[in-house]
Each structure stands twice: as structure tokens, then as C-alpha cells.
């Protein structure tokens, strides 16, 4: 009834057919975004992300579901950390890599990974795609198959098919009908509200001017400056700046209305910037960089500008990126994230299941503790 195929380049699947299946709230899963990563060398053998995209078709060849899948030779750029698993394999004389990962590279943002479109057959198509992916993993002889940052219902479906659920934590904001940034702050305790007012005032008093631009309004020169900021951030932290300037120029042109660039200027020069992706319901904060240090500018560019944008545009959610407990006092509350994992070896599967059971209990306690630090009144 169904056939699952793999594709070594997303260009093998027509953009219109792929995007028809993508949730419009997830720009990081659009054909334009993923193909730009491939065409401009951001994924591939050099970085250990080899495309193996999954496609489910019916007997007439009609495309029913897809998933962005990669053969991985490391765990870089995933944000669901399994290095301890790889180390355990190595200590037992086994190879953890290569493995298969279903994800948007370098993008720890929640969204459907079983791309089926809004159809009544969504669950059946998703289950067929999962089963086909597991059979492919078995044929390839990889150690494991991982679905990262899945939404709640498909995490349940993956678990029903024998994959193991893993719980993580990020800090997200929910729009509760605020009509201005100040109306948001009214919901905060007096002390937290005063702190944010002080932080925003410090930025204004420093002479920093903020501009918000969609990607199609960003000039090539501004993209070049942003890319230097992006590279500097990774250099300072010892990371690998995998995203190239041509990649940013490309998505600025092909999906500009899905890109928000926050530019901070001082003395007529760009001194900092924050890069975001815009969905139909959500804003996703992704990258930040600065040439000069200004008090509270990171909070202004990465959080407060994004919150204002969401309120102005009526967006329901803001995911400002992975980790960061300091986000809680600025209105971003602890939110569970999920991933699902298939492990080929029965012995390692049992050991990892035991680890996940313990980790989940610890994560549940952490989420509950973080909620006690909420800045909101009477929540």
C-alpha cells in the first residue's frame, strides 16, 4: 500500500510537494531552508550531516509524507545530547556512528518531524513512515535512529512503534492576549517588572538604536556584517560556524518573510544582531552576536524585541533557543521537549531505557522546580 524511499538531496523532491506537507508554523522545515543548507555546504560530508530524506508514497506514486533525515557521523548540531551513549559504545568496542537523525540541522526548535500535511490520514501516514524508517535503519546497519524535537502526538506515535521517549527542557513564552509589551509586564511581579524596565532603559541610555527587518529587507552588506557577528560568537565559544554567508543571503531572498533580523546600531554602525525565524504562530530565536558589550543589550535584542514583535503580530509563542535559566525571570517558562530513539542492539537498548527512566524523573523534578521561579503574579 505504501512505499518509503530515501533521497540524498532534497532537490530530488519538488519544493511544492515538500512544502505542501510542512506545517506553516515551522519555516526551518521548508524546502527553501533545507535546500539552502545543502547547496551552500552547511551540511554534507564535511560536517557529518549526509542527507537521507524519507518520502512515503502510495501505490500511484503520490507523495503522502516526508521527513528530513540525515546519516550522522557525530552528534554536533543536534541539541539532544547523546555523547555519553557514544562513549558507552566505544568502551564496549562498538561503533555508535553512523546513526540516523530526523531533524532540522542546527535548529533545536519544536515542530512536526513527520510531515504529512493537514489530512485525516495523518496518523496512518505517520505510522507508515516510522515503520519504513526503522526498516531502512535495520537494512543500513546503523546503531540507532533518532527523531528530535517532536510534537506531543507524534512522540506518542513514535513510542507506540517501539521508540523510546526522551524528555528535555527549554524555556518558551506563551502569548496570553497581551496588547503591548507593557501589558505583559503588568502580569509580572513588581520586582521583575522593575528589573526589565531598568534593563531596557540601560540600552536606550547607551545610545544604541534597534531596527527590526524581515529578511527580504536586509541588504547584502548587512547580511555580511551579521555573518561576521555569527562567526565571532562561535569562535568565542569554541564552536563551529557551519552556516555560510551564501546560506543567509539565499534564505533572505527565497523566504525573507520568514526571517526576522534585529540589528543594534551605535554611532551609525552595527554592533550586534539577533537572527530569528518567523512561523504563522511562533517566533524562533536562533543566533546572536556582538562586536561591543553594552549592558543588557543581549536581553533587549534576543528577548524583548522578539516579545514585542510577537505581541504586535499576534503570534502565540516565542521559542528563544536552547537552554538558559536566565530566561525564566524574563517571562519564558520551563517547557518540556521530546525526542524519540530506536536502538538496534537489544543490550544497549535496555541500558539506555534504564537511563532514560532515571533521567525523566530528574527532568520532571527540574521542570517543577523551575516553575517556582516564574516572574508572573498569581500563577
Amino acid at each position: 500500500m505504501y512505499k518509503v524511499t530515501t533521497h540524498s538531496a532534497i532537490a530530488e523532491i519538488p519544493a511544492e510537494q515538500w512544502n505542501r506537507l510542512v506545517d506553516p508554523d515551522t519555516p526551518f522545515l521548508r524546502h527553501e531552508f533545507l535546500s539552502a543548507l545543502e547547496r551552500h555546504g552547511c551540511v554534507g560530508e564535511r560536517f557529518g550531516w549526509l542527507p537521507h530524506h524519507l518520502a512515503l508514497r502510495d501505490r500511484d506514486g503520490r507523495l503522502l509524507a516526508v521527513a528530513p533525515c540525515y546519516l550522522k557521523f557525530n552528534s554536533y548540531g543536534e541539541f539532544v545530547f547523546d555523547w555519553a551513549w557514544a562513549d558507552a559504545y566505544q568502551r564496549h568496542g562498538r561503533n555508535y556512528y553512523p546513526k540516523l537523525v530526523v531533524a532540522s540541522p542546527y535548529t533545536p526548535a519544536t515542530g512536526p518531524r513527520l510531515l504529512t500535511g493537514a489530512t485525516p490520514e495523518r496518523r496512518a501516514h505517520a505510522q507508515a513512515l516510522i515503520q519504513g524508517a526503522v526498516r531502512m535503519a535495520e537494512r543500513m546497519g546503523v546503531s540507532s535512529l533518532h527523531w528530535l524535537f517532536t510534537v506531543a502526538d507524534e512522540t506518542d506515535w513514535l513510542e507506540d512503534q517501539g521508540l523510546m521517549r526522551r524528555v528535555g527542557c527549554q524555556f518558551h513564552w506563551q502569548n496570553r492576549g497581551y496588547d503591548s509589551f507593557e501589558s505583559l509586564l503588568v502580569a509580572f511581579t513588581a520586582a521583575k517588572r522593575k528589573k526589565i524596565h531598568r534593563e531596557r532603559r540601560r540600552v536606550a541610555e547607551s545610545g544604541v538604536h534597534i531596527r527590526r527587518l524581515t529578511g527580504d529587507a536586509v541588504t547584502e552588506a548587512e547580511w555580511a556584517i551579521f555573518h561576521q557577528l555569527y562567526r565571532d560568537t562561535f569562535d568565542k565559544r569554541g564552536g563551529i560556524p557551519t552556516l555560510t554567508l551564501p546560506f543567509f543571503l539565499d534564505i533572505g531572498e527565497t523566504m525573507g518573510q520568514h526571517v526576522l533580523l534585529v540589528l543594534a546600531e551605535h554611532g551609525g554602525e552595527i554592533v550586534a544582531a539577533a537572527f530569528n525565524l518567523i512561523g504563522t504562530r511562533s517566533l524562533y530565536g536562533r543566533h546572536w552576536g556582538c562586536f561591543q558589550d553594552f549592558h543588557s543589550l543581549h536581553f533587549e535584542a534576543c528577548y524583548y524585541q522578539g516579545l514585542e514583535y510577537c505581541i504586535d503580530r499576534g503570534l502565540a509563542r516565542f521559542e528563544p533557543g536552547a537552554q538558559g535559566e536566565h530566561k525564566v525571570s524574563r517571562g519564558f517558562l520551563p517547557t518540556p521537549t521530546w525526542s524519540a530513539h530506536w536502538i538496534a542492539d537489544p543490550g544497549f537498548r535496555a541500558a539506555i531505557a534504564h537511563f532514560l527512566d532515571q533521567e525523566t524523573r530528574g527532568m520532571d523534578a527540574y521542570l517543577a522546580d523551575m516553575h517556582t521561579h516564574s516572574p508572573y503574579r498569581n500563577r
Side-chain angles (χ1 to χ4, degrees), residues 18 83 141 152 156 171 182 196 199-200 236 243 252 292 318 356:
W18 180 284
W83 289 300
D156 292 339
F171 301 94
E182 195 57 36
I196 292 175
E199 289 175 344
R200 303 203 79 182
K236 291 172 184 175
L243 303 181
Q292 300 179 41
F318 183 13
L356 291 176

Side-chain angles (χ1 to χ4, degrees), residues 213-215 223 251-252 255-261 275-278:
L213 302 171
T214 52
W223 276 124
I251 65 170
M255 48 183 289
Q257 289 298 309
H258 295 284
V259 173
L260 176 67
L261 194 63
F275 173 85
N276 307 264
L277 292 169
I278 308 166

